[in-house]
């Protein structure tokens, strides 16, 4: 709930609301009062007063009118209109004030419609609307760079957003035992103190009964994890006493979060912002469900579900298991997991003497290693590769921990071939997965060169109707039969999963294997109408170990699924590009750098990889290395706009403004409507050529599509430098209307409110938001400290300055 509400028993407008809805208010007032320019003024209350006394004022000579904005008898602020001509200044004021109040009532009505009455939070509908808008803005304001990279020096949207969902645990039991009235009180109270705990920029909503959601601008995974844990701990720390029975009710909550774009995968990005918002919410809800399934009162990230949130659902014949992970959490065939029992996670205590006691907890003991052989939407099926102890079987409810193949227990036990009969797949006659991996691990150990290929049915047979497994088996059998007709006898094949096959080619290089796989894919399409995708990887390749080739093959398969027919990809520089882009989107910039460097080792002319590597270098504070990469790209493709712009950015970071200006001007020669280059030239002109020259660039950029959101803050800065405070304020409000997360605009607006002697609480709200959005900017914290000083909050201001 808002602490500044004017009325405790209902929804009302606050000063921050007036700033938020300022443009709506301006349009409503302009319907009955023509004016040339305007501003809001929040007078500082007199000493001992809660609100300043407001009175109508009109200066006919200067055409300036101070219109009090009152709601239900309480003064909020002045609407200052300039360029006003009143024909009847003596009789008009009461009517203007009444019409202004009607405008406020309209805004209040809208606020009421988007506010949950019980909690004072936003409604689910409003939350989803804001989430859709956030995703839409991010999509429209991405810089032209791989992985969605953008120029952090330009006030576009952050390119990231987080959604945290908090769900009270076992809350229905409280309703059933103590009544819905106390349940509502708890929901309301929890909403109140968790809303107070988050930053102003976070949108808080009640999305269902006892479930809350939080939309976090620039919400990267670490930020969301920290907020989710703080809210969970806050709920746990506030027990509730039942006034009737005196019972103390301990309230706990489970939290989950998902991030955009990190939690979405390739096909999701082709959908609309509306679809993506629902996918993101579903993923956050999946994380909450996993938290509850893992014992409640904990936090789960969507990205952690696959790593440590799965469990065994059912024990099947032939050492197979049904698992709680599927395509919905990005599970893949071939993924390996360790199985452990949650029953052995408790502690133990031993009394040495009457006064001395020692305690400890059992280390995690793994029962088995398993491999995923089939993945469906919500579940997967796996095969047991290795049991730690045959007397300790896997049971329903056992938990899963994801395992890197290089750490596999199964692989390290590869020894001489067993004398027992090999285990074969009934449908294809090829080795089953476990048998294939065991033989492959042994045979590759001392081999100088070899290749591996994985083939997958590109179309889902289930879409054709009928029995899914029967159709899949029939198609896989045809593929295996055709492969056997022209693959060498030395080639070893296996059933990799329900819809895929794997082949090992000893002593063969990738080019000859690629020819065979391409022939197989084409023949299966022509003769059987079976569409296949295939990935091929070989050893030796760069500095990869033999044990890493199968993973490279899977990356090649991912690459192939993004291609046109024939969908066959050899693991190469492009595959590494795709893998690096995924690391970049996940926030692992250093991991992306390593993959991009490997891509360039494989192909030094890979322009996309080199440009992306330069972007990564710039983002980790190595502009000189970035500059060299962009210059290398331009040696190969002199008209590469992306590289030209990024070169200008790197030179600007290095302080070489002349070289930066030259790069941006070349961008404009190739693309005259390149908004970002115009803004950058405006910034350089502001530093070297003067305000008038900078204004030309900004105004030109503002006329182009998407330019208004990029230029308003810069134009406000120019107006501020020219001492035109009213124009600066107007531009800043336009900037925030275009991008409500523009921290720089918020900070400058807070300074304007502070310098004008208005209510410093308004400046404080804006300063807090800007500092929350950009905590690394020391000047934002200084502005916040100044607003606290003015209000006499010296101790709090001192704490804020200690962060600088």
């Amino acid at each position: 709930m808002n602490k500044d509400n004017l009325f405790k028993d209902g929804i009302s407008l606050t000063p921050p609301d007036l700033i938020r809805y300022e443009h709506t208010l301006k349009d409503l007032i302009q319907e009955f009062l023509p004016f040339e320019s305007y501003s809001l003024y929040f007078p500082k209350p007199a000493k001992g007063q809660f609100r300043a006394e407001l009175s109508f004022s009109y200066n006919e000579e200067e055409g300036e009118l101070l219109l009090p904005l009152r709601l239900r008898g309480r003064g909020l602020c002045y609407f200052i209109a300039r360029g006003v001509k009143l024909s009847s200044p003596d009789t008009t004021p009461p009517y203007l004030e009444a019409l202004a109040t009607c405008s406020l009532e309209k805004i209040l009505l809208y606020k009421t419609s988007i506010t949950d009455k019980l909690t004072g939070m936003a409604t689910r509908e409003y939350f989803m609307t804001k989430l859709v808008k956030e995703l839409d803005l991010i999509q429209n304001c991405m810089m032209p760079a791989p992985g969605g990279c953008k120029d952090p020096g330009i006030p576009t949207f952050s390119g990231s957003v987080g959604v945290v969902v908090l769900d009270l645990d076992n809350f229905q039991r409280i309703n059933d035992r103590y009544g819905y009235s106390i349940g509502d009180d708890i929901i309301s109270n929890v909403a109140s103190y968790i809303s107070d705990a988050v930053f102003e920029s976070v949108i808080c909503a009640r999305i269902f009964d006892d479930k809350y959601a939080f939309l976090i601008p620039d919400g990267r995974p670490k930020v969301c994890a920290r907020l989710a844990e703080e809210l969970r701990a806050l709920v746990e720390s506030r027990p509730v006493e039942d006034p009737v029975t005196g019972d103390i009710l301990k309230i706990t909550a489970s939290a989950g979060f998902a991030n955009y774009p990190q939690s979405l995968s390739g096909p999701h990005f082709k959908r609309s912002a509306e679809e993506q918002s629902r996918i993101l919410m579903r993923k956050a809800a999946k994380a909450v469900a996993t938290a509850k399934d893992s014992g409640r009162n904990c936090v789960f990230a969507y990205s952690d579900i696959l790593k440590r949130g799965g469990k065994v659902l059912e024990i099947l014949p032939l050492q197979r298991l049904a698992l709680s992970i599927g395509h919905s959490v990005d599970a893949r065939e071939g993924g390996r997991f360790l199985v452990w029992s949650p029953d052995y996670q408790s502690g133990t205590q031993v009394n040495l003497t009457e006064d001395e006691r020692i305690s400890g907890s059992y280390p995690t003991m793994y029962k088995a290693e398993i491999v995923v052989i089939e993945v469906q939407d919500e579940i997967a099926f796996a095969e047991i590769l290795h049991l730690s102890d045959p007397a300790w079987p896997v049971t329903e409810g056992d938990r899963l921990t994801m395992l890197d193949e290089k750490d596999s227990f199964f692989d390290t036990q590869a020894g001489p071939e067993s004398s027992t009969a090999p285990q074969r797949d009934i449908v294809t006659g090829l080795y089953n997965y476990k048998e294939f991996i065991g033989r492959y691990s042994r045979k590759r150990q001392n081999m100088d060169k070899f290749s591996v290929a994985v083939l997958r049915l590109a179309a889902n047979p289930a879409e054709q109707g009928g029995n899914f497994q029967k159709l899949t088996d029939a198609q896989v059998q045809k593929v295996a039969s055709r492969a056997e007709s022209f693959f060498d006898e030395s080639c070893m094949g296996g059933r990799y999963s329900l819809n895929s096959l794997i082949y090992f080619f000893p002593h063969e290089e990738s080019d000859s294997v690629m020819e065979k796989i391409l022939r197989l894919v084409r023949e299966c399409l022509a003769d059987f109408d079976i569409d296949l995708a295939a990935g091929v990887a070989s050893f030796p390749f760069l500095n990869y170990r033999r044990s890493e080739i199968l993973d490279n093959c899977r990356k090649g398969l991912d690459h192939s699924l993004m291609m046109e027919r024939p969908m066959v990809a050899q693991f190469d520089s492009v595959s590494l590009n795709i893998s690096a882009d995924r690391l970049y989107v996940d926030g692992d910039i250093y991991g992306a750098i390593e993959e991009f460097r490997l891509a360039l080792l494989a192909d030094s002319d890979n322009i996309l990889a080199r440009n992306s590597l330069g972007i990564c270098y710039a983002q980790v504070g190595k502009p000189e290395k970035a500059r060299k990469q962009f210059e290398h790209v331009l040696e190969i493709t002199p008209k590469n706009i992306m590289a030209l712009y990024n070169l200008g950015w790197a030179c600007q970071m290095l302080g070489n403004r002349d070289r930066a200006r030259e790069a941006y001007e070349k961008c404009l020669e190739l693309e005259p409507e390149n908004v970002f280059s115009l803004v950058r030239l405006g910034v350089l002109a502001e530093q070297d050529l003067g305000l008038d020259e900078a204004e030309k660039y900004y105004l030109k950029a503002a006329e182009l599509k998407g330019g208004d959101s990029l230029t308003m803050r810069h134009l406000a800065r120019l107006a501020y430098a020219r001492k035109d405070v009213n124009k600066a304020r107007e531009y800043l409000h336009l900037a925030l209307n275009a991008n409500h997360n523009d921290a720089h605009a918020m900070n400058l607006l807070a300074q304007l409110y502070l310098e004008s002697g208005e209510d410093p609480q308004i400046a404080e709200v804006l300063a807090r938001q800007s500092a929350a959005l950009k905590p690394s900017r020391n000047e934002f914290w200084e502005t916040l400290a100044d607003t606290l000083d003015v209000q006499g909050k010296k101790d709090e201001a001192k704490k804020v300055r200690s962060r600088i």
Side-chain angles (χ1 to χ4, degrees), residues 239-255:
V240 176
E241 181 178 355
D242 178 23
V244 178
T245 65
D247 292 347
I248 302 298
L249 310 180
K250 183 178 179 182
I251 311 297
T252 64
S254 300

Side-chain angles (χ1 to χ4, degrees), residues 334-336 369 371-373 383 385 405 408-415 417 423 431-445 452 454 492-497 502-504 547 549-551 554:
R336 296 195 183 188
E369 180 183 343
V371 62
V372 175
I373 60 173
E383 183 175 326
L385 293 177
E405 187 173 350
S408 168
F409 293 167
F410 180 77
D411 190 36
T412 58
Q413 296 194 7
E417 280 193 50
Q423 300 177 18
Y431 295 121
N432 67 15
Y433 182 88
K434 182 177 179 179
E435 186 75 28
F436 177 88
I437 292 298
R439 289 171 177 266
Y440 164 69
S441 300
R442 289 187 289 270
K443 288 185 176 183
R444 75 184 182 202
Q445 287 179 353
V452 181
V454 173
M492 180 177 70
R495 185 81 179 262
Y496 188 66
S497 71
I502 185 168
Y503 288 92
F504 171 59
S547 60
I549 301 306
L550 181 54
D551 189 52
R554 285 195 287 259

Side-chain angles (χ1 to χ4, degrees), residues 155 678-679 682-683 686 690-704 707-735 742 744-745 748 752:
L678 285 169
V679 173
V683 172
E686 202 173 335
L691 303 185
D692 292 341
E693 189 68 20
E695 188 175 40
K696 291 178 183 178
Y697 283 115
Y698 294 145
L699 290 175
K700 185 174 181 180
E703 294 173 357
L704 301 175
D708 56 344
S709 63
L710 300 176
T711 55
M712 291 301 111
R713 181 230 293 173
H714 293 290
L715 289 167
R717 191 171 59 247
L718 297 184
Y720 184 67
R722 290 167 172 160
K723 310 299 183 185
D724 189 348
V725 176
N726 293 327
K727 196 68 175 175
R729 185 180 293 195
E730 191 169 341
Y731 275 134
L732 288 171
H733 283 300
L734 288 170
D742 189 340
H744 294 268
L748 186 53
L752 288 179

Side-chain angles (χ1 to χ4, degrees), residues 27 65 113 268 386 400 488 512 549 582 676:
D27 292 340
L65 182 148
S113 71
H268 296 147
H386 166 73
L400 308 177
D488 295 341
S512 64
I549 301 306
R582 285 182 175 171
F676 299 102

Side-chain angles (χ1 to χ4, degrees), residues 17-18 24 32 39 65 191 196 493 504 554 584 654 694 716 752 763 774 779:
D17 286 333
L18 296 183
T24 302
F32 60 84
S39 64
L65 182 148
D196 289 344
F504 171 59
R554 285 195 287 259
Y584 183 92
L654 290 166
L752 288 179
K774 297 289 182 182
E779 62 270 31

Side-chain angles (χ1 to χ4, degrees), residues 211-243:
K211 187 177 291 186
Y212 312 91
F214 305 87
L215 175 60
I216 309 168
D218 200 23
R220 301 182 187 280
K222 287 184 179 178
V223 175
C224 292
R226 185 169 60 250
L227 176 64
E229 177 55 30
E230 288 174 356
L231 296 179
R232 183 209 63 77
L234 183 60
V235 172
E236 186 182 26
S237 68
R238 300 286 186 97
V240 176
E241 181 178 355
D242 178 23

Side-chain angles (χ1 to χ4, degrees), residues 75 85 107 161 169 172 176 187 252 312 326 377 387 402 455 519 551 582 601 615 673 698 713 715 800:
K85 293 182 180 179
I107 295 174
V161 67
D169 295 327
Q172 188 56 44
D176 292 341
I187 290 171
T252 64
V312 176
D377 287 341
L387 278 173
M402 198 172 186
L455 298 101
R519 176 185 169 186
D551 189 52
R582 285 182 175 171
L601 281 175
I615 290 169
E673 295 189 351
Y698 294 145
R713 181 230 293 173
L715 289 167
V800 169

Side-chain angles (χ1 to χ4, degrees), residues 611-660:
N611 207 27
S612 300
L613 179 59
I615 290 169
C616 290
Y617 277 142
Q619 293 213 335
V620 296
K622 298 180 180 179
E624 181 60 32
K625 286 189 172 183
R627 179 185 63 79
K628 291 178 180 179
Q629 298 300 328
F630 301 139
E631 287 176 342
H632 197 141
V633 172
L634 291 170
E635 289 174 7
I636 302 171
T637 55
K639 295 184 178 181
N640 189 308
I641 292 181
M642 186 190 303
L644 275 169
Y645 180 86
N646 289 329
L647 175 62
W649 173 26
C651 291
Q652 197 168 347
M653 293 174 71
L654 290 166
N656 190 342
R657 296 204 286 267
D658 290 338
R659 184 77 189 280

